[in-house]
Amino acid sequence: MSHVIMDLVEKTSLKENPPEFEIGDTVDVHLKILEGNKERIQVFTGVVIARSGSGSREMFSVRRIVAGEGVERKFPFHSPRIEKVEVKRSGVVRRAKLYFLRDRVGKAVRLKERRRS
Amino acid sequence: MTQVYLEDGRAVPVTVIQAGPCHVLQVRSEDRDGYQAVQLGFEDKPRRLASRSERGHVAKLDSKRSKKRAATGIELVAKAGCEPQRFVREFRGETDLEVGAAVTVEQFAGIGRVDVTGTSKGRGFSGVMKRHNFSGQRATHGVKKVHRHAGGTGCSASPGRLFKGIRMAGQYGNAKTTSRNLELVRVDAENNLLLVRGAVPGPNGGFVTISETNKVG
């Protein structure tokens, strides 16, 4: 009985049209940012290396290289502050967590592109 | 517990509490009982599991005594006329509710903060580190077999005894606990749910009582 109630509550926090992307995709994450009273959009571009959690608590990690330094950012999947997630490029990957990318530098970071059929 | 997003995008950790519908089983009054209170029951219990007194508490039962009393013209007390209730608690104070009325979460409309009382999770006989957040002793430097013990508990020949109230190992948890001043994030009147920010005492599926907070300011 109790998980029925929990589902009811979680459903209110889920996105109606959840963004569609896969592990290994290069994405643009469009974030709403409040500066004073003005709202503007900030874009974070990188490779999706992991998804974790379930339901309204689901998160995804995006990794990019900034000035030679690896930067990872973890976003809540269902957060209303994430306006949209655009897929720029899809990569061929064989696992769900791409933590091996952390040990790679330079050209080795690239993933082979997956052609959509 | 789970997590919901507010309109401004903030994520809030919440505990979901089903708070109704509750039945008013009894109304205590000054002249009859010596104090004012309202007795609420929550969650139906199958009749086959309820004792005869539990069944008789919520509905009229046919008994020799009740027939005799009715015959002599004594008025029987009002009953709620509902199924036997699993969780019955009294709330002190004046009330305009009557026996048989239903109490729902709409009572909490406009209330910002609540106190939640329940029975905390039992942890059994626990040591001082878990029970009182003592630091224990060192891992090395000559400490033998007392790494999780308390240090000293008192003085020596004077006073020659322990003072009362020294914190020691013992039963921890499974006691009445109140979490005060919790923020009421949402009231879901449709499903009779309350969303309270943070944790409340007790296990998942446990019973709690909720009231408007008595904390000032």
Side-chain angles (χ1 to χ4, degrees):
Chain A
M1 183 63 193
S2 64
H3 67 268
V4 178
I5 297 171
M6 297 298 271
D7 285 348
L8 268 178
V9 174
E10 274 198 8
K11 215 186 281 169
T12 61
S13 279
L14 300 184
K15 277 188 176 168
E16 273 179 37
N17 303 309
E20 282 181 16
F21 56 86
E22 280 168 34
I23 308 291
D25 288 0
T26 304
V27 293
D28 280 359
V29 183
H30 293 251
L31 285 168
K32 285 184 205 162
I33 285 183
L34 212 61
E35 273 178 356
N37 293 326
K38 270 189 189 165
E39 199 177 70
R40 66 180 189 87
I41 302 285
Q42 191 185 62
V43 183
F44 188 89
T45 312
V47 183
V48 180
I49 61 163
R51 279 171 82 153
S52 59
S54 63
S56 65
R57 300 174 303 283
E58 188 172 346
M59 310 276 279
F60 64 98
S61 300
V62 178
R63 180 180 171 85
R64 67 175 298 188
I65 309 288
V66 181
E69 192 65 43
V71 174
E72 274 176 28
R73 207 166 157 187
K74 206 168 182 181
F75 299 100
F77 190 83
H78 290 285
S79 169
R81 279 192 193 160
I82 291 181
E83 193 171 71
K84 62 178 174 182
V85 179
E86 262 182 302
V87 179
K88 288 290 174 194
R89 191 170 175 275
S90 301
V92 178
V93 290
R94 301 178 75 165
R95 52 210 71 221
K97 306 277 191 263
L98 308 183
Y99 297 144
F100 64 88
L101 289 180
R102 292 171 178 168
D103 303 326
R104 296 196 173 177
V105 282
K107 282 186 177 177
V109 176
R110 293 172 305 169
L111 295 170
K112 207 189 271 179
E113 186 157 357
R114 178 159 54 90
R115 300 284 170 202
R116 296 221 162 157
S117 51
Chain B
M1 282 178 68
T2 183
Q3 172 184 300
V4 293
Y5 291 103
L6 302 182
E7 277 140 26
D8 59 359
R10 275 183 299 152
V12 187
V14 291
T15 305
V16 183
I17 303 173
Q18 186 166 36
C22 295
H23 299 279
V24 177
L25 302 183
Q26 233 175 19
V27 177
R28 304 279 190 190
S29 63
E30 195 72 57
D31 25 307
R32 212 177 87 91
D33 308 286
Y35 65 99
Q36 287 184 321
V38 57
Q39 191 185 78
L40 301 182
F42 174 68
E43 198 163 80
D44 290 351
K45 188 174 180 178
R47 283 186 201 176
R48 64 189 161 80
L49 296 179
S51 67
R52 190 169 162 84
S53 56
E54 280 174 324
R55 279 181 279 137
H57 187 56
V58 296
K60 282 206 169 77
L61 280 187
D62 264 346
S63 66
K64 272 186 195 163
R65 184 167 175 269
S66 65
K67 272 178 203 152
K68 218 181 271 177
R69 284 170 78 90
T72 50
I74 298 169
E75 205 182 327
L76 297 172
V77 287
K79 297 288 164 101
C82 59
E83 292 294 304
Q85 302 292 298
R86 191 162 295 234
F87 187 68
V88 178
R89 286 291 180 277
E90 276 186 13
F91 293 84
R92 286 288 189 114
E94 261 181 77
T95 177
D96 49 2
L97 291 166
E98 293 197 351
V99 173
V103 176
T104 60
V105 293
E106 276 156 32
Q107 296 277 336
F108 284 92
I111 288 178
R113 287 179 174 273
V114 291
D115 290 344
V116 180
T117 304
T119 306
S120 60
K121 282 185 185 175
R123 290 152 179 97
F125 193 102
S126 302
V128 286
M129 285 181 70
K130 189 188 271 282
R131 190 174 183 220
H132 299 300
N133 294 328
F134 280 21
S135 306
Q137 295 181 32
R138 289 170 133 186
T140 59
H141 287 268
V143 176
K144 263 187 185 171
K145 299 178 182 172
V146 289
H147 307 288
R148 292 184 63 85
H149 284 223
T153 49
C155 318
S156 187
S158 164
R161 63 183 178 88
L162 276 190
F163 291 117
K164 280 186 177 176
I166 299 289
R167 289 173 297 166
M168 294 188 186
Q171 165 67 33
Y172 178 37
N174 194 21
K176 185 176 172 180
T177 309
T178 304
S179 288
R180 293 176 72 199
N181 215 18
L182 300 176
E183 188 189 331
L184 194 56
V185 176
R186 196 183 293 165
V187 178
D188 185 348
E190 196 180 321
N191 303 306
N192 267 315
L193 301 179
L194 294 179
L195 268 60
V196 173
R197 185 186 181 117
V200 302
N204 289 344
F207 289 102
V208 292
T209 61
I210 312 158
S211 55
E212 186 178 6
T213 187
N214 58 3
K215 209 157 188 169
V216 183

